[in-house]
Amino acid sequence: MTRQFSSHSELPGIGYGFFEMEWHGETIWMHEGSVPDGSSLMMLVPEEHLGIFVVHNMVSFDASEFNHRVADYLLSHLIPGNTKTRTPSNFELSKNELKAYIGEYRSKGSFTTQGDANKMLNLLPFFQVRVQLNEDGTQLLAGESSLIPLGNDRFAVEEKLYDIAFGRDEAGKVNMMYTGSPTPIMKSREKNAWFDDYRLHYVLWGVILAISIGAAWWFPIQRWFRSRKQEKTKESTLLLPQLACTIGWLQLLFIGSVIVFFLIPSVQDLFWGPFRYGIPLPLRIAGLLPFAGVLLSIWLAIQSARIWSKLNRFQRLGFVLVASTGIGLIPYLAYWNWLSLPWS
């Protein structure tokens, strides 16, 4: 059994149908899988002529962790001379060298590739791994785990049985992080640029939501105030508020549909499986709403420009914000690969 691919030259890779992993100096080939009602794990140790198979139908806990604990217990008893103590590293990096690895890394594995709609899942914090210095600046931390330098951009994860390695771009800057776990292909992470910080995008979505809510209630509130004052309004002057109201509701329906979809328990259980095996019809329909919104936003911008001198400052600002949001939502969704939802 030989390695066919590795995400990083310093880490284990993958063969035909089996993932390579290191266990106390031993090369092990494994494959695991699960369904809603069960889980299994197979491990092969060619040099020891040893194989382990774990299968069960218990689903009330972390099945993968249970499988590996059972296999780890069996391996520690079946392969003599191995212990659970990892050899400490004498390799050291200066504080300035450690700073090169600092940043937030977003998942770029098989279910969150940059080429499909799952890219937006990177806005969820638990898809991010933050690498930072400890308090005295002498050691890197990945989440709550300490990273022990081994050289060649490889680090041992303290109290874990796997390593991680960092990749660099052509300019020599750190831009990727790879996990040497049993499934390295699904553990590739890309270093976030400042404009990909999920906190920034939470603010942007908050602004979009606020403008959409304001636009959705603009027309009803305006009609209510005018009815209180018993003012008669020409229907022609109501076109712009009606357009703004419609755009606002289209955007709210789209945002609401996405939120509801992510909250469906069956989707959570399958780890957003529908994104891998087909977009549900309701979400496909919801994906058409931004296209309707951009057409109405262009119409709103044209009509506002025609009577610009007759509008007060509040109306000008409101119509500009609504039209800009409706038009700007299209390139924003294109960046996150969501324009293809109706046709995915």
Side-chain angles (χ1 to χ4, degrees), residues 111-182:
F111 53 81
T112 51
T113 57
Q114 305 307 297
D116 57 31
N118 288 322
K119 181 179 178 182
M120 190 171 281
L121 294 180
N122 289 303
L123 292 178
L124 301 176
F126 49 80
F127 279 98
Q128 312 277 337
V129 173
R130 173 175 289 186
V131 176
Q132 58 188 345
L133 290 174
N134 60 2
E135 293 183 358
D136 58 9
T138 59
Q139 194 172 44
L140 283 178
L141 300 175
E144 298 180 356
S145 300
S146 298
L147 301 182
I148 304 169
L150 301 175
N152 296 326
D153 292 325
R154 182 171 179 173
F155 293 79
V157 183
E158 192 174 36
E159 298 181 355
K160 303 289 186 180
L161 294 178
Y162 62 84
D163 299 339
I164 66 172
F166 293 88
R168 297 177 181 267
D169 58 20
E170 294 179 355
K173 294 183 179 180
V174 175
N175 65 339
M176 295 291 295
M177 180 173 71
Y178 306 97
T179 304
S181 66

Side-chain angles (χ1 to χ4, degrees), residues 322-340:
V322 175
S324 300
T325 302
I327 296 172
L329 192 59
I330 292 298
Y332 182 78
L333 293 177
Y335 176 75
W336 291 105
N337 300 329
W338 271 57
L339 284 187
S340 61

Side-chain angles (χ1 to χ4, degrees), residues 24 89 103 159 194 209 235 313:
H24 307 301
S89 170
E159 298 181 355
W194 67 268
L209 187 61
E235 291 298 323
R313 291 182 179 179

Side-chain angles (χ1 to χ4, degrees), residues 204 206-216 218 240 243-245 247-248 251 293-294 296-298 300-302 304-305 308 311-330:
L204 289 177
V207 171
I208 293 172
L209 187 61
I211 293 175
S212 299
I213 292 174
W218 188 335
L240 297 184
L243 282 175
C245 177
I247 295 167
Q251 292 174 350
V294 71
L296 293 178
S297 297
I298 294 173
L300 176 63
I302 294 173
S304 299
W308 187 258
L311 300 175
N312 57 44
R313 291 182 179 179
F314 175 77
Q315 290 173 324
R316 290 175 181 177
L317 177 62
F319 293 139
V320 167
L321 287 176
V322 175
S324 300
T325 302
I327 296 172
L329 192 59
I330 292 298

